[in-house]
Amino acid sequence: MLTAIVIDTTGAAHTLHGKAGDSIMQLARAADLPVVGECNGSLACATCHMVVDPDWAARLAPVGEDEEAMLDTIFNLKPTSRLSCQIKLRADLDGIRLFLPA
Ligand code: FES
């Protein structure tokens, strides 16, 4: 079992549990966090936006063209903003920290 820690807008930490290949968006929705994930991970919305803790951001694959195009539609973009449907749990990301955007 792998974990991801999502900090909500009140500062509360939520530990999500999943297996390799699960997306952070899926796990956040299953935990009833306010993540819409309207397109179910097909890079057609941006309602799964999260901000990755800078200490973890460099471990992720670079932002692809399609993800970048969707990120460009976000008004509160941060340097480590990512679409959480594109972040899949894997062993070297165990314990990754992300923030729900304000
Ligand atoms: Fe739509 Fe992530 S759920 S882009």
Side-chain angles (χ1 to χ4, degrees), residues 6 16 23-42 45 47-48 50 84-85 100:
V6 176
L16 310 181
S23 79
I24 303 296
M25 179 273 285
Q26 291 172 315
L27 298 176
R29 288 202 312 198
D32 286 331
L33 291 176
V35 175
V36 177
E38 193 173 320
C39 76
N40 285 315
S42 56
C45 65
T47 60
C48 61
M50 290 190 195
S84 62
C85 67
L100 292 181

